[in-house]
Amino acid sequence: MDTSLAAAAGPSVQEVAATQSSEPSVDLTIHPSGIVPVLQNIVATVNLTCKLDLKHIALRARNAEYNPKRFAAVIIRIRDPKTTALVFASGKMVVTGAKSEQASLLAAKKFAKIIQSCENSISFTEFKLQNIVGSCDVKFPIRLEGLAFAHEKFCSYEPELFPGLIYRMLVPKVVLLIFVSGKVVLTGAKEKQQIYDAFENIYAVLKMFKKGDVPAPAMTAPNSAALVSQQGHRLAHGLTACGSNHCCAGLHMFVLCMRCF
């Protein structure tokens, strides 16, 4: 009876603490925000250095499909790692669906072995990561209109066409899709570290446009001179960092400080 009551009561404090301690901790030296973007997809290319008979490969290989009227490549799928390859007659191959750089390389070698087993003399060369996609959640809603206005040089926001804000970061060269819910998708990176760097750069900016923050108190008459000064500050600096202590100059991109608005 006591055992059943204990089970119904749920896990004890000690069990919860043990579970929390077993969870992997975030390295704050690499991820100062405490949030680690999750890699969702990696696209890589390989050159097999020979012409291929796609019809022959489609007939010989498992889990392969080929419809030349629809798409000029053989589509091959494997389960471990769960990936898909597009094999072209020129000998070029595109591998997509991997969740890590190592898995992408392993999958590419497996696909090459499948093609080689179809009586093709190939060489595995020019393996290159073309695109890495990651995603994360900052856990707070974002004022996209304010972000688009403050960073109009880098942003594209058309809520009638697409609900997310498109942010084109310069360093690293990554495109971010930012949603009002706090979800962020990062794409266009060539290596995993670029995803991490891009998110750390944008995280400080997103906190400035967090929804629900208490607005600044209204400006009174004695402070009208300060208001004129702020307007002149904005006109003088345009879309460049003003260089003062409260600027986000450390983000490796042109960012306006809050004084400018």
Side-chain angles (χ1 to χ4, degrees):
M1 184 67 179
D2 294 340
T3 305
S4 62
L5 289 175
S12 63
V13 175
Q14 293 81 0
E15 291 173 342
V16 172
T19 303
Q20 292 177 347
S21 62
S22 64
E23 295 178 355
S25 58
V26 178
D27 187 351
L28 296 181
T29 60
I30 302 175
H31 309 284
S33 65
I35 302 173
V36 183
V38 178
L39 301 186
Q40 300 292 349
N41 185 29
I42 295 179
V43 179
T45 56
V46 180
N47 187 1
L48 302 177
T49 67
C50 70
K51 300 294 182 180
L52 300 173
D53 185 349
L54 299 185
K55 186 176 181 180
H56 180 71
I57 293 174
L59 292 173
R60 293 287 301 274
R62 282 185 171 185
N63 300 318
E65 59 181 86
Y66 179 47
N67 186 351
K69 293 182 179 179
R70 187 175 180 183
F71 188 56
V74 174
I75 303 173
I76 308 175
R77 296 179 175 87
I78 59 175
R79 293 183 178 178
D80 186 24
K82 190 176 180 181
T83 48
T84 301
L86 308 177
V87 184
F88 295 86
S90 62
K92 302 292 179 65
M93 179 171 68
V94 179
V95 179
T96 182
K99 303 292 186 180
S100 69
E101 296 163 326
Q102 296 80 6
S104 182
L105 177 60
L106 175 61
K109 290 182 176 179
K110 286 188 174 184
F111 286 121
K113 191 172 182 180
I114 291 171
I115 296 169
Q116 188 176 35
S117 67
C118 298
E119 302 174 0
N120 291 292
S121 178
I122 65 169
S123 297
F124 188 90
T125 62
E126 300 177 21
F127 176 82
K128 185 178 181 181
L129 299 179
Q130 299 291 349
N131 186 24
I132 300 178
V133 181
S135 66
C136 58
D137 187 354
V138 298
K139 305 295 185 183
F140 57 78
I142 303 166
R143 295 185 289 111
L144 297 183
E145 294 84 358
L147 176 59
F149 180 72
H151 298 259
E152 59 182 347
K153 185 176 180 180
F154 311 102
C155 294
S156 173
Y157 182 48
E158 298 289 342
E160 298 86 357
L161 303 177
F162 182 67
L165 179 146
I166 302 172
Y167 195 108
R168 302 183 187 278
M169 190 175 291
L170 299 181
V171 181
K173 194 173 181 180
V174 171
V175 178
L176 302 95
L177 305 179
I178 304 169
F179 298 89
V180 68
S181 63
K183 298 290 198 311
V184 180
V185 178
L186 306 97
T187 183
K190 301 294 184 181
E191 56 186 39
K192 178 172 62 175
Q193 190 59 42
Q194 291 181 347
I195 293 287
Y196 297 156
D197 292 344
F199 176 72
E200 293 301 331
N201 287 351
I202 202 66
Y203 183 71
V205 178
L206 296 182
K207 287 197 297 184
M208 296 166 58
F209 296 94
K210 179 180 178 180
K211 271 189 177 182
D213 285 349
V214 179
M219 191 73 71
T220 57
N223 293 326
S224 58
L227 176 59
V228 173
S229 174
Q230 287 182 354
Q231 291 174 342
H233 171 83
R234 177 174 177 242
L235 292 174
H237 290 88
L239 287 173
T240 61
C242 66
S244 56
N245 292 332
H246 54 270
C247 273
C248 302
L251 299 181
H252 304 292
M253 54 185 175
F254 294 107
V255 177
L256 285 175
C257 67
M258 291 306 293
R259 275 184 60 196
C260 299
F261 293 94

